[in-house]
Amino acid sequence: MEFLLDPSIWAGLLTLIVLEIVLGIDNLVFIAILADKLPPKERDKARLIGLSLALLMRLGLLSLISWMVTLTRPLFSIGQFSFAGRDLILLAGGLFLLFKATMELHERLENHPHDSNGNKSYASFWAVVIQIVVLDAVFSLDAVITAVGMVNHLPVMMTAVVIAMGIMLLASKPLTNFVNAHPTVVVLCLSFLLMIGLSLVAEGFGFHIPKGYLYAAIGFSILIELFNQIARRNFIRHQSHRPMRERTAEAILRLMGGRRGGAAANVESGQSSAENPLLPQETFKDEERYMINGVLTLASRSIRSIMTPRGEISWVDATKPLDEIRMQLLDTPHSLFPVCRGELDEVIGIVRAKDLLVALEQGMNIHTFAASSPPLIVPETLDPINLLGVLRRAKGSFVLVTNEFGVVQGLVTPLDVLEAIAGEFPDEDETPDIVVDGDSWLAKGGTDLHSLQQRLDYFDLVKPGDDYASLAGLLIAQKGQLPLPGETIDMPPLHFMIVEATDYRIDLVRIIKDRPQDEEES
């Protein structure tokens, strides 16, 4: 019992336990990486076998202290280098560790851990166990030599080894789960093993590298990786607050070589697909990219950017003479008309032109006939996704859009939604909003900015929170007032020249886009 009352014994035991745990961490990390190659149900068994073998080896080597001492005696010399049994074991272990860590790093950097069927290919259980045994021998030798050099009592050495291995066994599964859940940590651990393997080879040649240097480098690297994990976790938390639809749309658009997803997307992907030559951008035709872009951005648009504005609505004034109404119906190509009482805001109903002509021929009262088809009215704050359900209820008709005061702002037809997705389908009495004119474009002032972005292949015109949806609104906001004909508004790489404008609106704009510098040089 006097043996247990010696404070130096307890101090040596605690110190040796800490050192055994520290020296066993590299063994534990490598076992975690190797166990990941096995099916999930066999990983715990492999960890248990690996650590049990390490414990048995260390206890066995401790019981052969006299033999361990002989391992430090030189066996032969080559030039200025003399080699003992310990040196040969360290050389073999270091070379094996360098080879295995390099192969593991190559596999992860090349990113080919799966077979051709898309299922993960698992390694043989006993092949993994044999690799664990080989590494256990190397790491056990290092730990036992440290124990022999620190403590003179064999029971203290064995007690410290058993306690340390028990703690490592308890920590093995959480450490394995953490390592496997963080790919960057796996690469970091493999780099540690490379460094340890190199130090073992150096030790085998007689060059002693202080362990403090290795642990300082490992500790600093772990600190940097901790900062990296915190930054990544905060980034994921920030992204989780953004709508899933928005994040999915940005990811698909980047794959198509379309709009960049902003700073957050660039952080996540590293670079845009337009800058990545490995992505096959030719997979999508221009029409397909246009339509996919339209579908993905539909939810982020406002009804104002989709609707036919108030100034372009053709409506029937029920207070006018019947002959004048009949001529209006015959002279315009539209099939549906809002029938109003004196002004557009006094809507009676929505009628088909041919039905109204028949009703006029039969002498029916136009007010009574129009009132049988009341209009569907939606607020301008409604988002386009919910608008689709309203259009379904309209059964081929259109819906009117009003502001908070009940003033009609425009109307939306199913064709308007289709144009927002697939591009313009002009009526017989319309001209396209955007036409190519040599090296420039001519665009109407009411051109939708989303459509203009896709035609110009420039996606910085629409900003979140903007209260305008047309080209004219953009130019007025940039100028601060209504620009005059002949004025040019520069928004590099785009330049907008006002071609036609009145005192209260912009009618036609010429758009010139700067050519990329590499094209100019060629």
Side-chain angles (χ1 to χ4, degrees):
M1 296 299 294
E2 295 177 359
F3 173 81
L4 297 177
L5 298 177
D6 187 352
S8 63
I9 297 296
W10 287 103
L13 176 64
L14 293 176
T15 304
L16 190 55
I17 289 174
V18 174
L19 285 177
E20 288 292 323
I21 293 175
V22 172
L23 292 173
I25 288 178
D26 45 12
N27 190 12
L28 195 60
V29 169
F30 201 79
I31 290 176
I33 294 175
L34 289 177
D36 186 50
K37 293 179 170 295
L38 296 172
K41 63 180 180 180
E42 296 182 355
R43 292 172 186 171
D44 291 339
K45 182 179 178 183
R47 282 194 299 270
L48 180 61
I49 291 177
L51 291 174
S52 299
L53 289 174
L55 175 60
L56 293 176
M57 284 184 184
R58 295 184 186 189
L59 292 177
L61 292 174
L62 283 172
S63 64
L64 300 174
I65 294 179
S66 59
W67 177 74
M68 292 286 298
V69 173
T70 63
L71 291 178
T72 60
R73 296 173 183 173
L75 299 177
F76 60 91
S77 299
I78 300 178
Q80 60 178 349
F81 300 106
S82 60
F83 296 93
R86 173 182 177 274
D87 298 329
L88 295 178
I89 295 175
L90 290 178
L91 272 175
L95 291 174
F96 176 79
L97 200 58
L98 287 173
F99 170 77
K100 191 61 185 176
T102 301
M103 295 300 295
E104 292 287 335
L105 271 174
H106 179 268
E107 179 180 291
R108 280 164 173 78
L109 294 179
E110 290 295 324
N111 198 24
H112 294 306
H114 303 283
D115 59 17
S116 57
N117 295 325
N119 299 318
K120 185 171 183 178
S121 54
Y122 295 111
S124 168
F125 177 80
W126 290 110
V128 172
V129 170
I130 291 174
Q131 294 181 60
I132 293 176
V133 170
V134 174
L135 266 297
D136 280 342
V138 178
F139 291 127
S140 296
L141 181 66
D142 190 30
V144 169
I145 291 176
T146 300
V148 172
M150 286 193 59
V151 182
N152 296 323
H153 301 282
L154 181 61
V156 176
M157 299 180 197
M158 290 189 171
T159 302
V161 169
V162 171
I163 294 175
M165 294 304 295
I167 294 175
M168 290 170 61
L169 184 61
L170 293 175
S172 63
K173 188 169 184 178
L175 178 63
T176 301
N177 294 335
F178 177 79
V179 168
N180 294 334
H182 300 81
T184 57
V185 174
V186 176
V187 175
L188 183 65
C189 291
L190 289 173
S191 66
F192 291 162
L193 294 179
L194 280 176
M195 184 169 60
I196 294 170
L198 182 62
S199 69
L200 292 179
V201 172
E203 289 278 349
F205 279 99
F207 297 103
H208 177 66
I209 300 177
K211 296 292 184 182
Y213 292 160
L214 297 180
Y215 295 145
I218 290 175
F220 181 75
S221 300
I222 291 175
L223 181 63
I224 298 301
E225 180 61 23
L226 176 63
F227 292 155
N228 178 51
Q229 292 297 329
I230 293 174
R232 181 171 180 80
R233 182 177 180 181
N234 290 336
F235 171 76
I236 294 175
R237 182 186 303 168
H238 170 72
Q239 290 293 303
S240 65
H241 294 306
R242 301 174 60 209
M244 177 65 73
R245 182 188 290 115
E246 180 182 343
R247 286 179 280 155
T248 304
E250 287 183 352
I252 296 176
L253 291 176
R254 289 197 307 273
L255 290 175
M256 292 192 305
R259 179 183 61 183
R260 277 62 168 180
N266 290 335
V267 170
E268 183 179 6
S269 63
Q271 62 177 346
S272 66
S273 61
E275 299 169 346
N276 190 347
L278 300 179
L279 292 177
Q281 297 183 20
E282 67 277 8
T283 302
F284 294 94
K285 295 182 179 179
D286 290 340
E287 293 82 359
E288 292 173 318
R289 292 177 58 194
Y290 193 103
M291 287 188 290
I292 295 175
N293 196 327
V295 170
L296 295 176
T297 58
L298 184 63
S300 63
R301 299 178 64 165
S302 64
I303 290 186
R304 294 174 58 192
S305 68
I306 297 175
M307 70 183 185
T308 300
R310 178 187 178 100
E312 298 179 13
I313 296 177
S314 297
W315 56 283
V316 174
D317 187 354
T319 61
K320 290 185 177 181
L322 297 183
D323 291 338
E324 188 174 339
I325 294 176
R326 186 180 293 106
M327 291 300 299
Q328 178 186 357
L329 296 176
L330 294 174
D331 289 343
T332 55
H334 304 299
S335 59
L336 287 168
F337 289 87
V339 178
C340 307
R341 189 181 295 106
E343 58 179 335
L344 182 57
D345 297 322
E346 297 292 332
V347 183
I348 302 173
I350 308 297
V351 299
R352 296 187 179 277
K354 62 178 182 180
D355 295 337
L356 184 56
L357 287 172
V358 172
L360 293 177
E361 291 295 330
Q362 295 178 353
M364 295 181 60
N365 184 279
I366 188 172
H367 291 79
T368 304
F369 180 78
S372 62
S373 303
L376 287 175
I377 299 176
V378 297
E380 61 180 351
T381 55
L382 186 70
D383 65 84
I385 298 300
N386 292 328
L387 174 66
L388 295 177
V390 180
L391 284 172
R392 291 190 185 97
R393 294 199 303 271
K395 297 181 179 180
S397 183
F398 55 73
V399 298
L400 294 174
V401 181
T402 63
N403 63 10
E404 58 183 324
F405 303 107
V407 178
V408 174
Q409 302 296 304
L411 60 83
V412 182
T413 68
L415 180 61
D416 292 326
V417 178
L418 179 60
E419 287 182 337
I421 295 174
E424 285 187 273
F425 296 91
D427 292 334
E428 294 180 6
D429 61 340
E430 291 181 340
T431 57
D433 287 344
I434 309 170
V435 295
V436 178
D437 185 26
D439 293 335
S440 60
W441 294 266
L442 288 175
K444 295 180 181 178
T447 301
D448 169 41
L449 286 179
H450 289 82
S451 300
L452 185 62
Q453 286 189 143
Q454 297 193 59
R455 286 294 300 272
L456 300 181
D457 193 24
Y458 180 74
F459 297 91
D460 286 334
L461 297 179
V462 178
K463 301 290 192 306
D466 288 344
D467 57 355
Y468 49 81
S470 66
L471 174 58
L474 171 66
L475 298 180
I476 294 173
Q478 289 293 318
K479 180 70 175 177
Q481 61 184 16
L482 191 68
L484 301 176
E487 287 192 63
T488 299
I489 299 175
D490 295 320
M491 297 176 58
L494 300 179
H495 308 277
F496 303 90
M497 180 185 297
I498 311 301
V499 179
E500 297 178 7
T502 63
D503 293 338
Y504 57 92
R505 71 178 185 182
I506 300 173
D507 292 324
L508 191 62
V509 179
R510 180 178 298 277
I511 305 172
I512 301 174
K513 184 179 181 182
D514 293 337
R515 296 175 58 188
Q517 186 174 1
D518 54 351
E519 292 185 11
E520 293 178 356
E521 294 176 353
S522 62

